[in-house]
Amino acid sequence: MKDDILFMKQALELAARGRGFTSPNPMVGAVVVKDDRVVGTGYHHAAGQPHAEVNAIDDAGADARDATIYVTLEPCNHVGRTPPCTEKILAAGIRKVVVAMQDPNPVVKGGGNAYLRQKGLAVKSGICEAEARQLNEVFVKFIRTRRPFVILKCAATLDGQIATRTRDSKWVTGEHARHHVHAVRHAMDAILVGSGTIRTDDPSLTTRLGHENDRDPHRVILDTRLSTPSHARLFQQASSAKTYIAAGPLSGDQGLLARRDALEAAGAVVLEAPLKDSRVDLEALMDILGQAGITSLLIEGGSRVIGSALSAGIVDKVMFFYAPKILGGNDGVPICSGRGPDLMKDCLTLKNTRVERFGEDVLIEGYLS
């Protein structure tokens, strides 16, 4: 059992190398072991490319016969963009399969393990399952709900403000924290802000890690009245990421239709969404983004967007960065705006919280129920 955990942790480390590249597929790693020695390793590099099991078995070559394969997700038993991994395992002569977690897709869950057992292989499941589920929390939610996994991120002073009264926010946190945020952006399919952030800050909303393979998230702008300038910086990026602008219903409003045409000419994709209290209905928008193939969404504010996202109940995970700074007034921009609960017992609460330091800044991370 101890060796099982050791080899599975190695497979999980391999799987994480695919972060940011495998969507809409999960991150998967595999290790082939024979006579207590690793003879082959592999991971899923990108959607449409060979799965982790294939890469690990090919790496092992003839040593795969009579070996054990450790894989972080149940081997697939269906034809997708690539052939079933179960057949690759059988053809290689593998004797035993150790799996971290079953496929969360209710249509195929358990099918790969059952098929391999029917063919006479020993199959063990549930090794490092919690770690595997956390690694692929985006995939687990999306495959079950067809809605993106939503992370809410903000950077604030110790007295809970994200900008000064003049709307200056550069920079609340230091370089180390900002670098981590760019790593998070790289891993997400899309990033969401309000149109006020575009008009005030004119951000690029790109990933800037300094690597050749940096992956920009798609950009989603909440803009009920299509007030985003068509000359905004996000339209000037040398990036393959799309810019979605989520507006309300457009039919019959000639002014909105004209602004839509101008924004689409600049490169935007305008999405019509239902309104709720005169703002884009975020619940409905999650379905729309899911239909567009967006499996993960990073919300970066501002305060009205943050408050609306929490109120709508669409947030799965929060990342609050706190800098050792105090504005010392109540005229700055708070983390959230809008109406909160009357009683402290009705606060939203986090579970599985984690605290990490980035230079002088502190990250508090956790999950909403």
Side-chain angles (χ1 to χ4, degrees):
M1 182 68 174
K2 185 177 179 181
D3 287 342
D4 283 346
I5 292 173
L6 179 69
F7 292 130
M8 189 61 77
K9 284 187 179 295
Q10 186 172 345
L12 286 165
E13 290 173 1
L14 286 164
R17 295 183 186 179
R19 191 182 304 278
F21 300 108
T22 63
S23 180
N25 290 352
M27 293 173 276
V28 184
V31 174
V32 180
V33 176
K34 189 171 186 178
D35 300 325
D36 295 323
R37 183 173 62 89
V38 174
V39 295
T41 62
Y43 68 97
H44 184 41
H45 291 245
Q49 293 188 20
H51 288 186
E53 300 94 317
V54 173
N55 289 330
I57 290 169
D58 286 348
D59 187 43
D63 285 336
R65 181 157 298 278
D66 298 326
T68 297
I69 187 167
Y70 291 80
V71 59
T72 59
L73 183 69
E74 176 184 3
C76 62
N77 191 38
H78 59 280
V79 177
R81 290 198 233 182
T82 57
C85 290
T86 51
E87 299 300 338
K88 180 75 173 183
I89 290 170
L90 292 170
I94 296 247
R95 285 283 185 89
K96 182 178 180 181
V97 180
V98 182
V99 176
M101 62 177 285
Q102 287 187 320
D103 192 322
N105 188 338
V107 176
V108 299
K109 183 177 180 180
N113 288 349
Y115 179 74
L116 291 170
R117 287 191 180 103
Q118 290 171 7
K119 294 296 183 178
L121 274 68
V123 178
K124 182 190 287 189
S125 186
I127 304 300
C128 300
E129 182 174 0
E131 295 93 326
R133 285 189 174 279
Q134 184 172 28
L135 178 70
N136 276 312
E137 58 193 7
V138 167
F139 177 74
V140 170
K141 180 184 179 183
F142 185 77
I143 204 69
R144 288 176 172 171
T145 68
R146 294 296 165 180
R147 284 183 163 196
F149 183 90
V150 178
I151 298 177
L152 173 61
K153 168 262 169 184
C154 76
T157 60
L158 291 180
D159 48 352
Q161 299 181 77
I162 61 176
T164 68
R165 65 175 179 272
T166 64
R167 299 301 190 265
D168 178 49
S169 61
K170 293 184 174 59
W171 295 103
V172 177
T173 53
E175 182 179 344
H176 294 296
R178 297 200 303 275
H179 181 83
H180 183 69
V181 170
H182 282 284
V184 175
R185 284 185 179 182
H186 165 82
M188 304 296 284
D189 282 353
I191 180 172
L192 181 146
V193 299
S195 59
T197 296
I198 302 300
R199 294 193 300 273
T200 301
D201 297 338
D202 195 19
S204 300
L205 300 180
T206 54
T207 298
R208 297 184 293 279
L209 291 171
H211 304 149
E212 286 185 8
N213 60 351
D214 284 356
R215 176 176 172 269
D216 291 330
H218 298 306
R219 299 166 283 271
V220 182
I221 316 301
L222 297 177
D223 192 358
T224 308
R225 301 298 298 172
L226 295 181
S227 60
T228 298
S230 57
H231 56 77
R233 184 180 300 172
L234 55 85
F235 294 123
Q236 316 303 321
Q237 305 303 317
S239 172
S240 61
K242 295 179 181 178
T243 298
Y244 295 96
I245 298 185
L250 305 179
S251 59
D253 190 320
Q254 295 305 313
L256 284 178
L257 291 171
R259 289 198 287 276
R260 178 201 63 188
D261 293 344
L263 287 168
E264 288 184 341
V269 177
V270 177
L271 304 173
E272 291 190 57
L275 298 182
K276 185 176 183 179
D277 299 327
S278 301
R279 296 177 185 172
V280 171
D281 185 334
L282 294 180
E283 273 272 350
L285 181 61
M286 294 306 102
D287 290 324
I288 293 170
L289 294 179
Q291 290 166 11
I294 292 174
T295 69
S296 57
L297 180 69
L298 178 66
I299 297 177
E300 289 204 9
S303 62
R304 191 167 71 175
V305 172
I306 291 173
S308 297
L310 291 171
S311 178
I314 64 168
V315 178
D316 297 293
K317 182 178 183 179
V318 301
M319 300 177 67
F320 278 28
F321 291 88
Y322 286 97
K325 299 176 181 178
I326 301 171
L327 284 183
N330 65 353
D331 56 353
V333 180
I335 293 174
C336 300
S337 66
R339 186 178 179 86
D342 292 331
L343 302 174
M344 189 61 67
K345 69 180 181 65
D346 296 325
C347 284
L348 298 172
T349 56
L350 300 182
K351 61 182 181 180
N352 300 330
T353 55
R354 186 178 70 89
V355 179
E356 186 174 355
R357 287 192 64 167
F358 292 90
E360 293 298 312
D361 304 315
V362 175
L363 166 65
I364 298 177
E365 182 180 277
Y367 295 85
L368 287 165
S369 298

